[in-house]
């Protein structure tokens, strides 16, 4: 793994959720997903009732996560985003791997949450950072 890939995996571990991006019937969409990393693959937990997993299985998708909510909380650190792009496939994690996801939502749009899992094999990984310290200092000095 490259240093950028290792950094992206380390950053991804800092947040529990991200956004899956793909197309459905040639229309783009985003879906919120919970993630963990297993053997260098990003494994996503989605609600099967929305059907997003079916259009992702066997196709190239992008998955991104960030700490942009940190700006609202005022933690003072730099902001970052990571994106993983590659083929996805439906998988069936072991019970131990499922437990790593933590508690699942009870409902999605009023329906009971029914998990489905996708494994993303990253072919492209990007990391972007936004250094805020200097701009925050200048804003407060004005």
């Amino acid at each position: 793994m490259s240093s950028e890939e290792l950094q992206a995996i380390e950053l991804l571990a800092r947040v529990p959720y991200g956004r899956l991006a793909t197309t459905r019937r040639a229309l783009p969409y985003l879906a919120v997903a919970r993630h963990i990393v297993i053997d260098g693959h990003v494994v996503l937990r989605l609600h099967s009732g929305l059907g997003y997993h079916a259009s992702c299985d066997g196709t190239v998708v992008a998955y991104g996560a960030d700490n942009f909510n940190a700006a609202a909380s005022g933690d003072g650190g730099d902001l970052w985003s990571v994106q993983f792009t590659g083929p996805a496939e439906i998988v069936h994690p072991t019970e131990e791997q499922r437990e790593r996801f933590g508690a699942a939502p009870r409902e999605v749009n009023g329906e009971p949450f029914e998990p489905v899992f996708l494994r993303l094999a990253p072919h492209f990984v990007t990391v972007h950072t936004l250094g805020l310290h200097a701009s925050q200092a200048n804003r407060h000095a004005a």
Side-chain angles (χ1 to χ4, degrees):
M1 256 188 215
S2 73
S3 62
E4 185 172 46
E5 290 170 328
L6 291 172
Q7 180 188 19
I9 295 291
E10 187 270 323
L11 291 170
L12 188 67
R14 294 182 186 183
V15 296
Y17 288 89
R19 288 164 220 78
L20 172 68
T22 191
T23 60
R24 189 174 194 183
R25 296 184 203 114
L27 298 173
Y29 72 88
L30 295 174
V32 174
R34 175 74 168 95
H35 60 260
I36 61 172
V37 177
I38 301 173
D39 299 328
H41 293 90
V42 178
V43 179
L44 308 176
R45 180 180 69 191
L46 307 160
H47 173 53
S48 64
L50 299 175
Y52 295 150
H53 63 288
S55 61
C56 295
D57 189 31
T59 67
V60 173
V61 301
Y63 184 71
D66 58 61
N67 71 338
F68 293 168
N69 64 333
S73 68
D75 80 351
D78 288 343
L79 298 180
W80 55 263
S81 68
V82 295
Q83 181 174 302
F84 302 84
T85 304
E89 66 178 325
I90 295 173
V91 294
H92 304 283
T94 66
E95 189 59 38
E96 181 181 309
Q97 291 167 337
R98 286 175 180 242
E99 288 175 9
R100 289 181 50 203
F101 281 97
R106 291 185 316 163
E107 295 181 343
V108 173
N109 297 337
E111 296 179 12
F113 180 79
E114 294 291 332
V116 65
F117 301 89
L118 289 173
R119 179 176 58 213
L120 168 59
H123 288 197
F124 302 102
V125 176
T126 57
V127 176
H128 297 288
T129 57
L130 302 168
L132 298 178
H133 297 295
S135 63
Q136 287 175 338
N138 291 337
R139 184 179 63 214
H140 294 300

